[in-house]
Amino acid sequence: MTSTLKPHYSAVVIGGGQAGLSASHYLKKHGIDHVVFEKKTVAHKWKDERWDAFCLVTPNWQCQLPDHPYDGDDPHGFMVKDEIIAYVDRFIKRVNAPVLEGTAVISVEKNGDLFKVETSAGTVTADSVILATSLYSRPAIPRAAERLPEEIVQLHTVDYRNPNQLPEGAVVVVGSGQSGCQIAEDLHLAGRKVHMVTGNAPRCARFYRGRDVVDWLSDVGQYDITVEHDGMTKKKHDTNHYLTGRDGGRDIDLRKFALEGMSLYGRMVGVSGGRMIFEPNLKANLDGADRVYNGINALIDRHIAEKSIDAPPASVYTPLWEPENEPEELDLKAEDVTSVIWATGFHPDWSYVGLPIFDGTGYPVQRRGVTGIDGVYVLGLPWLWTWGSGRFLAVGKDAEHVVDHLAGYLEAGQPALRQAASR
Ligand SMILES: Cc1cc2nc3c(=O)[nH]c(=O)nc-3n(C[C@H](O)[C@H](O)[C@H](O)COP(=O)(O)OP(=O)(O)OC[C@H]3O[C@@H](n4cnc5c(N)ncnc54)[C@H](O)[C@@H]3O)c2cc1C
């Protein structure tokens, strides 16, 4: 449903991804008049910012958008890109949100009891605002990129599609989070020479003791743990574990790739004179990822023992390969490197938010999406409340909570009426 601009709304939702649409779903249920401003097109990231071989890392059963759970015949499979887009498109249709696409919010400010929302299509006022623009707004590319030789093709993961898009020659993938590892695998499987620059991302087994690790972790209660549990508050800045859902799901083991010809390096510290320079921490990065892998499996072992579950035997991952040395630089020309893929994450873009809601790290201060400013809410961020808050699994539950709170706020405060009365 495309909306036309009105001068005032009870609620303005900023961002038309799955979080903004989930908010709209519940606002409609409450009968709250609202608009969703989306600067591009709804849920466009699944279409525009994923590579061709992309598939979910989370199993299909974890797709739990509100009133739109996965209902296909492969709950333990991993939807590929087109299937994800179809799943999201059905959600878009179901919600039928009052959305204004191609409308960027330029600023949100408090104006008495109301909020003034300036957009590329005009200015409106609102009694409440829901910020649903995610932490994945702008590709994060280190400034060292500026010092790469001009002839090298550089892409961020959002622009990577497939190996054929890159010129012949070797590829450097910088960053070993989920995207970096999956893209490195994509290139490796296509027979490309890959130089993989690792960071401190953890990894996780796909299957362990007869089941998907996600299924075990769900039974253990891992996805119900909230950010308020001890030790969880810093989780929101953690890098995701690397593993894949490709071809029915499997581990990603960089040591195995090394045995097959992939070159691995420690963290990149810079580029100088046509060389990429690395910290000597490759071994530490690989060991750290495996420690987490084994730690998660040990958690599952404890659960199986406590519940006396009949399951295949326990095992501990032992490294298939160890680096002989710590490579400290890569001569790009000598190694025929023709492209570099920056798998270095994203920056949020809260520049439109003229409200004092952020902590020192740029993350909004909030409790399950409810900020300290009456009428201001956030949605869809990793660990907003639980692990699933920034994913298909739990964004809907958070949206329901946020909209229930917002509805209560509108009912109790009636800010627009108060403002009118005071004029
Ligand atoms: C590579 C990758 C793989 C992932 N894999 C999985 C997975 O396997 N399983 C899973 O559950 N989740 C996965 N996720 C996480 C998650 O599901 C997505 O990040 C999800 O798209 C976040 O949805 P969102 O609505 O919060 O934000 P986004 O999808 O980022 O939507 C925000 C919207 O806000 C718009 N916007 C931004 N600024 C403005 C503005 N000023 N005015 C108007 N509009 C604005 C943007 O155009 C965008 O459409 C993955 C994420 C990535 C990046």
Side-chain angles (χ1 to χ4, degrees), residues 297-341:
N297 289 352
L299 179 77
I300 294 168
D301 291 338
R302 283 196 294 280
H303 170 74
I304 288 173
E306 273 164 28
K307 303 272 175 209
S308 306
I309 295 169
D310 187 19
S315 60
V316 174
Y317 174 82
T318 47
L320 300 176
W321 173 89
E322 287 286 3
E324 280 168 17
N325 53 29
E326 288 286 349
E328 292 196 39
E329 58 178 45
L330 169 64
D331 183 329
L332 298 163
K333 196 166 184 185
E335 294 296 330
D336 188 30
V337 171
T338 55
S339 34
V340 170
I341 297 178

Side-chain angles (χ1 to χ4, degrees), residues 210-254:
R211 294 173 81 202
D212 191 318
V213 164
V214 171
D215 293 357
W216 284 122
L217 292 179
S218 179
D219 288 358
V220 168
Q222 207 66 10
Y223 302 119
D224 302 324
I225 296 175
T226 75
V227 76
E228 297 192 336
H229 277 64
D230 280 353
M232 304 307 276
T233 47
K234 291 193 181 126
K235 286 275 176 199
K236 53 188 182 265
H237 298 300
D238 281 4
T239 312
N240 288 323
H241 301 71
Y242 59 87
L243 74 165
T244 183
R246 192 162 171 170
D247 301 330
R250 57 183 171 236
D251 288 5
I252 291 186
D253 184 354
L254 296 179

Side-chain angles (χ1 to χ4, degrees), residues 14-19 37-39 44-46 50 54 56-58 103-105 132-134 136 179 346 352 380 390-392:
I14 303 162
Q18 64 211 33
F37 290 123
E38 166 51 55
K39 70 176 173 186
H44 70 96
K45 295 200 177 180
W46 292 111
R50 305 287 182 264
F54 180 87
L56 290 179
V57 170
T58 49
T103 307
V105 170
T133 49
S134 88
Y136 305 137
S179 295
F346 297 85
Y352 68 92
R391 295 179 169 86
F392 283 128

